[in-house]
């Protein structure tokens, strides 16, 4: 669902137009949609966003993210120009961290009697397990994250410092915040999607998301219009083979039929050639 | 001893080097800088150095390690190899330079080290010692002032050669005497020619006029030769150290470059152009794309202040360089190393080949230059020598003819006395006793054969009587040995040369002694040799033997007609004929001859010419005695080999110094000519042939200015003939013929094969020179690129090894370009999707190791052991050779095909992965992949495709092939697991962490890998099957056992040079 707000009839139009980085008041817009699929992963998608730009890709410090104390106060030069704010070093440093996706999406189920029921969104397990537990670590030595990050500044574009990313769960703060980790895995192509939340199957026979009307409540913080980008919310089901992938199927069918066709053709050719060969042998 | 007395001729002091031999290239100190300099002179290394420096200087997408590490690897490996070789040379030099030498100083023998020798020192050399420098023999322990020497290490001739002391110093016996000598030696500047030396010694005695003596090659003992059969000698050093003839001879030959290398360089240039154009395109597109500032610097991705301040031109240039760096892998760094290793290791296959091992010599083939392996598969013209190459050079005396009466010695092995006796009877029965005896004596005397003494004269005598000879005749010319042995069977045994007396055991077992006065040596211009002897009765006799053409004009009496008829008959039968003549000299004539000779020998300048004049004056007014015939048998399988070469599309030219009739007979015997072939002869019209000959010379001198009609016609005719025979060729002319063909329009690849010193110029001139380790010494083998024991081995060398090498190297080169296109083209495409930001698609480790380890070994092994058709088939079907003629596997269409295939595969990899990644989830838990997974997926597909492509091309599977191909794939997987499995503490980024494992855990990734590999291999498979079916390749045709049906009637053109040149 594209909620960027390009056209004036889009509910997020005002939010998109009036965006500045300085507002403290979050702009909230609401999009209504109808949902058909039974059970689902929730993604946000961005287009025309060059997460694979070289300057962008390298603008991070893996040491710092791994909890290295020296790198925390003195980040790598690759982070420039998002390395220091004044004299205080930024944690997490770099362009990737600085441009963390910060829209908040909340999904409501609209009942038949028009009352809104919030759909429970699970935010655990959206990042790679190895990333969360090995590659990303909070600075060691201090259990209190506020103290651990005391000598650092928050990235310029962030509203909150890194240790307050998730007020609800203390284990999801700092560098090991899963939203953050997901964002830090740079996408391969300028149009990409990232896992936002998982809507877990409850129990028994009831589908994860029953058919009906849904409402998406968006806290619109993330500007994309300046570079002609688009934002989307994607709900997708996933089998053991991953998400729906028409290309792979089509490609397999095509290649398979080509192979079959060629097989037949080559068989004919082979027969013809064989005949020629034996006939050529006879006179000699 | 070198200082001249006052009043002598102007003596220009000269600096002589010490006797240190330096064959090493580097010293300990200059090794690193000099070696680096040498290595970076190679264009490829320089290119990578530049890339590396660019990476160091500017902000580039890939770290300097990616190109620095391979370069460092290559440089180090080469440096270690060269360093090791140089260390060996150092060691060898050291042992030579420090070997002890006895020097006479102040009348005493002082032992010193070899490198302390100076010019003018008098050296004592004992038996079996090697001469430390070039020496002039002063005196020897033998009373006649001679010494025997073998020059095996110089030219491979194992025969003992006699060297003579200066007559005036011959008598010196003790150190004191030698030390008292006061003399100056004048000699020419150091020259590399082993067999030429011109000098003069002036001996000063008290209050007397200095005595001047000529010095020639027979006085000069060469460094490297060994003293034999002589207890000790005194000699004075004339050339030392690097000025010795041996050192001058070991200077490196000019480098020959193969055609494959040329096309490789052409391909490289094309790729360089592609590289530059890619970088330019990307740079231009980058700036077009970045035109809007939102794209250039979106809010999430700012430049640093420093970058912003830079001028746009500098930025553009830096970007251009960065793109260059990103794409630089398209020029394969490891290709040169692989090619070199392939050539180096591949050349061992030739020397290991057991079929090319010769039992008699106990030696297999030798490779002197591994650079030309693949050229063996490209030969179009074969120039071969006749004597010793086509024929065995194992002479056997067949018959002789005296005044028209023919004598034939009987059976060879069983009962020598018996046969000898019977022939004696026969001789006795025939008339003309005196002339006949003279003839036999002449043959016994007129030669330079030496008797290898194993026992005393009595022993020899006894040995003859017991029917088992204990002595061997050794000579540089096998004809002479054959003649002398033939004479032995006819009852006249040459015993030895003693104190200038030649001793002959005649048929009545009496020893006749002749004093040897002069030897007028054989040379290939005169084509004859003479001796002047004084018989025991006091007559002066001049015996001369030589080619008929050089003897007949000088004959004044004798039964010329009969002999001539016989000679011609023999020549037609393929026998080598020689004529013998004599002349009785009166005392005054002898004196006059002596005078001429002395004068010529003393001359410092134009000695050769003056000697020739003197010989010319002396050798005339002969009385013809008779002629001999010696058979030179064809080498085994020579005919078969020539036939195969013909079928393989090669043109065989025989260049020989022999007479036309003899040469033609050999050619018929070796099936070079067929009975049915039409033969064009250019012999009868003397004028025409003469002009042709002249044109040939003129052409080479005046650099194609005089392109006369005759020459064009000559070339035209020759090119259309299947076989050409050129007779009466001097060594230089052989080379000129080769050069002529080399320079003709199509620039065909030529091969020259020969065994003797007279073939060296031809061998050096041709693209590929092959030497036969024959009886005429090792000179040809030393100067050749490849040396083989027998002519028949040429067949396997060309048809099997040459073919294989060519196929292998062609595949190697094409494959290298292909795999690097596959590697780099996705990177190029990726730039369109990452804002032309030079973002590399693959991880640094992959970039670095792709060419070094993931894909290097399979192709190297393929290029070593591939046999697309079995050896037997190649040998049986020489026509397969035509398939690879004219560099057919490295032409532009083939190159284009490979490049297109590479581009196609790259497009499949990239867009396949692109569409799969586009908007879908790959994992079962909904998590997403990043750009590194994308790159790793492509890279995995790439490595597998490229390796499997090679597996598809491999026809000859050995267990090593299996091991290496599957092993390197396995290595890739294990490496990736390891590389992504650990947080590497020394890296400051961990972008590959668990990427590979995550990818493998996803089902669609597996599916797409399999799909993409299949798709990218499909077109090649189709092409292969179609080509096989439609137009069968060599392999196809080899499999069907079709006998060769048509042999075109070939025209043969024979060229005979005027009879001014001659050879045996």
């Amino acid at each position: 669902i594209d909620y960027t707000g390009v056209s004036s009839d889009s509910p997020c139009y005002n939010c998109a137009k009036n965006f500045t980085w300085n507002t403290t008041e979050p702009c909230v817009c609401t999009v209504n949609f109808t949902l058909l699929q039974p059970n689902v992963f929730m993604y946000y998608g961005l287009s025309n966003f060059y997460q694979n730009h070289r300057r962008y890709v390298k603008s991070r410090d893996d040491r710092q993210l791994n909890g290295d104390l020296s790198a925390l106060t003195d980040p790598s030069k690759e982070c420039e120009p998002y390395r220091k704010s004044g004299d205080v070093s930024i944690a997490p440093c770099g362009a990737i961290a600085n441009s963390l996706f910060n829209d908040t999406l909340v999904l409501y189920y609209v009942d038949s009697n028009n009352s809104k029921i919030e759909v429970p969104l699970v935010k655990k397990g959206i990042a790679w397990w190895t990333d969360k537990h090995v590659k990303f670590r909070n600075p060691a030595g201090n259990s209190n994250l506020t103290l651990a990050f005391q000598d650092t500044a928050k990235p310029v574009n962030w509203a909150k410092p890194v240790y307050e990313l998730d007020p609800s769960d203390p284990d999801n703060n700092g560098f090991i915040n899963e939203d953050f980790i997901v964002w830090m895995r740079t996408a391969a192509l300028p149009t990409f999607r990232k896992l936002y939340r998982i809507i877990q199957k409850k129990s028994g026979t009831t589908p994860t998301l029953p058919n009906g009307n849904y409402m998406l409540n968006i806290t619109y913080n993330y500007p994309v219009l300046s570079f002609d980008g688009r934002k989307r919310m994607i709900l997708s089901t996933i089998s053991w083979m991953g998400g729906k992938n028409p290309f792979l199927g089509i490609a397999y069918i095509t290649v398979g039929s080509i192979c079959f066709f060629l097989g037949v053709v080559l068989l004919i050719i082979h027969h013809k050639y064989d005949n020629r060969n034996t006939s050529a042998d006879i006179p000699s | 001893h070198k200082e001249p007395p006052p009043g002598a001729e102007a003596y220009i002091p000269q600096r002589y080097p010490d006797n240190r031999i330096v064959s090493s290239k580097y010293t300990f100190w200059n090794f690193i800088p000099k070696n680096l300099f040498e290595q970076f002179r190679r264009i490829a290394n320089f290119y990578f150095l530049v890339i590396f420096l660019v990476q160091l200087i500017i902000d580039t997408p890939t770290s300097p390690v990616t190109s620095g590490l391979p370069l460092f690897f290559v440089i180090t490996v080469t440096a270690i190899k060269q360093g090791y070789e140089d260390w060996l040379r150092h060691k060898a030099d050291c042992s030579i330079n420090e070997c002890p030498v006895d020097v006479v100083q102040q009348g005493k023998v002082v032992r010193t080290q070899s490198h302390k020798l100076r010019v003018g020192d008098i050296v004592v050399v004992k038996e079996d010692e090697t001469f430390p420098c070039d020496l002039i023999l002063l005196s020897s322990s033998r009373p006649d002032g001679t010494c025997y020497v073998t020059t095996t290490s110089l030219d491979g001739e194992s025969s003992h050669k006699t060297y003579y002391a200066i007559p005036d110093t011959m008598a010196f016996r003790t150190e004191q005497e030698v030390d008292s000598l006061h003399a100056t030696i004048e000699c020419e500047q150091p020259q590399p020619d082993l067999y030429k030396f011109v000098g003069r010694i002036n001996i000063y005695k008290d209050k007397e006029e200095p005595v001047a003596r000529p010095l020639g090659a027979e006085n000069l003992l060469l460094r490297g030769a060994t003293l034999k059969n002589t207890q000790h000698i005194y000699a004075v050093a004339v050339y030392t150290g690097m000025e010795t003839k041996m050192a001058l001879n070991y200077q490196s030959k000019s480098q020959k470059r193969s055609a494959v290398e040329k096309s490789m360089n052409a391909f490289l240039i094309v790729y360089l152009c592609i590289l530059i154009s890619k970088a330019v395109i990307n740079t231009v597109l980058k700036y077009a794309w970045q035109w809007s500032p939102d794209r250039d610097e979106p809010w999430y991705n700012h430049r640093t202040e420093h970058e912003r301040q830079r001028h746009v031109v500098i930025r553009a240039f830096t970007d251009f360089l960065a793109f260059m760096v990103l794409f630089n892998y398209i020029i394969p760094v490891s290709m040169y190393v692989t090619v070199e290793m392939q050539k180096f290791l591949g050349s061992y296959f030739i020397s290991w080949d057991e079929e090319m091992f010769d039992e008699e010599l106990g030696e297999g083939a030798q490779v002197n230059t591994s650079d030309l392996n693949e050229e063996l598969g490209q030969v179009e013209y074969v120039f071969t020598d006749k004597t010793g190459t086509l024929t065995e050079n194992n002479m056997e005396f067949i018959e002789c003819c005296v005044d028209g009466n023919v004598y034939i010695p009987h059976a060879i092995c069983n009962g020598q006395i018996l046969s000898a006796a019977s022939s004696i009877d026969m001789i006795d029965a025939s008339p003309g006793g005196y002339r006949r005896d003279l003839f036999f004596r002449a043959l016994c005397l007129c030669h330079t054969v030496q008797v290898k003494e194993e026992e005393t004269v009595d022993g020899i005598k006894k040995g003859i009587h017991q029917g088992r000879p204990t002595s061997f005749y050794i000579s540089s010319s096998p004809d002479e040995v054959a003649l002398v042995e033939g004479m032995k069977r006819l009852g006249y045994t040459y015993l030895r040369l003693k104190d200038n007396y030649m001793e002959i055991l005649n048929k009545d077992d009496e020893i006749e002694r002749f004093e040897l006065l002069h030897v007028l040596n054989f040379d290939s211009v005169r084509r004859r040799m003479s001796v002047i002897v004084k018989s025991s009765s006091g007559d002066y006799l001049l015996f001369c033997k030589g080619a008929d053409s050089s003897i007949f004009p000088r004959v004044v009496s004798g039964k010329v007609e009969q002999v001539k008829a016989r000679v011609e008959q023999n020549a037609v039968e393929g026998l080598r004929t020689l004529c013998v003549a004599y002349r009785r000299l009166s005392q005054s004539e002898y004196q006059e001859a002596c005078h001429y000779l002395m004068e010529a020998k003393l001359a410092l300048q134009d000695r050769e010419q003056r000697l020739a004049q003197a010989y010319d004056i002396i050798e005339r007014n002969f009385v013809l005695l008779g002629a001999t015939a010696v058979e030179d048998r064809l080498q085994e399988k020579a005919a078969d080999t020539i036939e195969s070469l013909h079928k393989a599309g090669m043109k065989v030219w025989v260049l020989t110094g022999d007479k036309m009739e003899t040469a033609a007979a050999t050619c018929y015997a070796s099936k070079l000519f067929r009975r049915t072939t039409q033969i064009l002869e250019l012999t009868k019209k003397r004028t025409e042939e003469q002009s042709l000959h002249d044109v040939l010379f003129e052409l080479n001198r005046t650099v194609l200015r005089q392109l006369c009609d005759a020459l064009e016609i000559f070339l035209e005719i020759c090119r259309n003939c299947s076989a050409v025979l050129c007779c009466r060729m001097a060594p230089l002319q052989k080379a000129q013929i080769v050069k002529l063909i080399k320079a003709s329009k199509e620039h065909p690849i030529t091969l020259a094969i020969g065994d003797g010193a007279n073939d060296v110029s031809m061998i050096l001139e041709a693209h590929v020179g092959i030497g036969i380790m024959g009886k005429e010494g090792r000179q040809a083998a030393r100067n050749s690129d490849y040396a083989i024991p027998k002519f028949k081995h040429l067949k396997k060398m060309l048809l099997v090894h040459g073919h294989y090498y060519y196929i292998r190297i062609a595949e190697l080169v094409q494959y290298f370009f292909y795999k690097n296109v596959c590697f780099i083209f996705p990177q190029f495409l990726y730039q369109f999707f990452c804002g032309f930001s030079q973002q590399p698609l693959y991880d640094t480790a992959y970039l670095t190791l792709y060419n070094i380890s993931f894909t290097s070994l399979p192709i190297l092994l393929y290029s070593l052991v591939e046999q697309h058709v079995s050896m037997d088939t190649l040998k049986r079907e020489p026509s397969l050779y035509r398939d690879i003629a004219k560099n057919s596997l490295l032409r532009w269409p083939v190159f284009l095909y490979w490049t297109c295939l590479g581009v196609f595969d790259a497009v499949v990899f990239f867009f396949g992965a692109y569409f799969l990644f586009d908007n879908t989830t790959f994992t079962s838990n909904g998590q997403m992949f990043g750009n590194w997974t994308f790159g790793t997926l492509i890279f995995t597909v790439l490595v597998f495709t490229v390796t499997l492509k090679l597996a598809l091309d491999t026809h000859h599977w050995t267990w090593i092939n299996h091991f290496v191909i599957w092993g390197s794939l396995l290595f890739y997987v294990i490496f990736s697991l390891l590389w992504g499995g650990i947080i590497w503490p020394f890296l400051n980024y961990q972008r590959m962490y668990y990427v590979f494992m995550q990818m493998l855990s996803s089902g669609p990734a597996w599916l797409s890998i399999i799909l993409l590999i299949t798709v990218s291999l499909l077109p090649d498979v189709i092409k292969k099957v179609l080509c096989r079916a439609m137009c069968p390749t060599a392999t196809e045709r080899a499999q069907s056992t079709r006998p060769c049906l048509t042999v075109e009637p070939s025209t043969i053109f024979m060229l005979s040079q005027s009879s001014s040149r001659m050879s045996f």
Side-chain angles (χ1 to χ4, degrees), chain A residues 14-51:
Chain A
N14 284 332
C15 287
K17 282 290 149 194
N18 304 332
F19 181 81
T20 52
W21 282 113
N22 302 329
T23 43
T24 45
E25 180 91 354
C27 170
V28 177
C29 51
T30 311
V31 181
N32 292 317
F33 64 98
T34 317
L35 194 75
L36 300 166
Q37 294 101 324
N39 57 357
V40 199
F41 290 75
M42 185 174 178
Y43 296 91
Y44 61 87
L46 293 173
S47 348
N48 225 350
F49 189 100
Y50 283 84
Q51 250 203 332

Side-chain angles (χ1 to χ4, degrees), chain A residues 142-156:
Chain A
N142 207 325
S143 54
N144 190 334
L145 284 181
T146 320
L147 283 178
F149 285 103
Q150 65 180 348
D151 292 334
T152 61
K154 68 178 175 66
V156 188

